[in-house]
Amino acid sequence: MLDAAQIDRIADVVDEAQSKGRAIPMLTNDYPGLSLDDGYAVMDELLNRWTARGREFFGFKAGLTSRAKMVQMGVDVPCFGLMMRDTCDSEGGTIPTETLIHPRVEAEIAFVMKSDLVGPEVTHEEVYAATDYVQPAIEIIDSRFENFKFDLPSVVADNCSSARLVMGGRPRRPEDLDLGALGVVLEVNGEPLAYAASGAVLGHPANVIQLLVRWLHRRGEVLKAGTVVLAGAMTEAFYIHPGDTICARFQDMGTINAKVS
Ligand code: OOG
Ligand code: MG
């Protein structure tokens, strides 16, 4: 474990890289002792700073939950990050990327919770009952690390590359869908880049909620009503550039369109 002063210093470095949009070396280069728990301690410290600046917590994102993402990034353990309300953009609108370093797009399923879920273990039935609705989402990730290269403790300390989020399409009740087998197509500039199914994330998106609830329980927390959760990208992520148009088509859940500025 690093000490509190070191966690604070690393939070300074990540915070500055995020706000200035400047790439930094992977944290474990300078702090080889950085553990996974240290990474989450940095993330917690970042949240303290952001809320002190008046930013509002919006929800959790799961990362590296699909085989496609694990293979692309070379990290095979899922992670959890935080999403802030001021990083949300509107469906059909533009996603600002001027302050990002090397943004990539992902297609995901979002859960919006209507009641608390308390761990350690919850069933799919309990996940469904606590879910207000599920809906399509586009996540824009942006690693603060040079060349988008990281290990697990570094990416966690970087809030799992969280950058921006668009929710859209049609909100649906999970029990009205075959939630483990919904097709998704991700297009950039009208070109289909990847095809996947919702079960690509840990076998079923509800499994991601189960894992999140277990992780929160270990931290002495619960998944609260009103929280939004991104279940993780079903395909690998693709670089985007100003002027690009993004379209993510979800079986039975509608389509999200957005433009990159
Ligand atoms: C880490 C975040 C991955 C996802 O949906 O798998 C992620 C990264 O690849 O930069 O958001
Ligand atoms: Mg993601």
Side-chain angles (χ1 to χ4, degrees):
M1 257 327 248
L2 302 184
D3 62 33
Q6 288 170 310
I7 297 294
D8 226 49
R9 223 161 28 241
I10 297 172
D12 286 341
V13 170
V14 175
D15 199 16
E16 180 170 315
Q18 290 189 357
S19 47
K20 298 216 167 114
R22 207 172 291 151
I24 53 174
M26 194 162 74
L27 295 168
T28 41
N29 292 358
D30 287 336
Y31 296 89
L34 186 82
S35 67
L36 181 56
D37 287 344
D38 292 328
Y40 281 117
V42 173
M43 191 184 85
D44 291 339
E45 174 55 25
L46 288 170
L47 181 63
N48 288 339
R49 293 169 184 215
W50 294 338
T51 45
R53 285 176 211 151
R55 299 182 69 194
E56 193 189 336
F57 173 75
F58 182 69
F60 295 102
K61 59 162 286 181
L64 307 170
T65 49
S66 67
R67 193 83 212 118
K69 279 293 303 182
M70 290 178 185
V71 169
Q72 181 179 39
M73 304 321 298
V75 177
D76 61 3
V77 177
C79 58
F80 294 108
L82 311 165
M83 297 183 300
M84 308 305 284
R85 190 173 292 281
D86 59 8
T87 64
C88 297
D89 300 308
S90 303
E91 177 182 23
T94 53
I95 305 171
T97 62
E98 304 86 13
T99 61
L100 304 184
I101 302 163
H102 35 210
R104 281 172 156 169
V105 63
E106 298 179 332
E108 311 207 9
I109 289 174
F111 285 71
V112 180
M113 309 313 297
K114 66 175 175 189
S115 45
D116 293 0
L117 269 178
V118 183
E121 302 299 333
V122 289
T123 63
H124 274 207
E125 289 69 30
E126 288 169 321
V127 170
Y128 279 26
T131 300
D132 195 0
Y133 50 87
V134 291
Q135 77 175 106
I138 287 173
E139 189 188 19
I140 307 300
I141 54 168
D142 187 36
S143 177
R144 268 51 70 164
F145 303 121
E146 290 160 355
N147 305 314
F148 228 112
K149 286 261 174 349
F150 50 69
D151 51 22
L152 184 61
S154 296
V155 71
V156 165
D158 183 29
N159 193 27
C160 294
S161 311
S162 169
R164 303 208 70 86
L165 167 70
V166 179
M167 289 169 62
R170 278 198 294 146
R172 298 291 310 269
R173 283 289 313 155
E175 64 270 21
D176 295 340
L177 298 166
D178 186 3
L179 192 54
L182 296 174
V184 61
V185 184
L186 179 57
E187 302 175 1
V188 175
N189 298 328
E191 200 65 48
L193 297 185
Y195 303 85
S198 52
V201 292
L202 301 182
H204 194 293
N207 292 345
V208 178
I209 305 299
Q210 290 179 317
L211 189 67
L212 172 63
V213 169
R214 202 174 308 146
W215 176 76
L216 287 170
H217 182 78
R218 278 206 309 273
R219 292 162 54 90
E221 297 171 26
V222 305
L223 180 56
K224 294 209 187 81
T227 304
V228 173
V229 183
L230 282 192
M234 293 170 268
T235 74
E236 67 269 44
F238 297 92
Y239 284 115
I240 50 167
H241 305 94
D244 285 349
T245 56
I246 299 169
C247 177
R249 302 176 193 278
F250 292 72
Q251 182 183 356
D252 298 337
M253 298 174 87
T255 297
I256 299 184
N257 288 288
K259 202 170 159 64
V260 182
S261 71

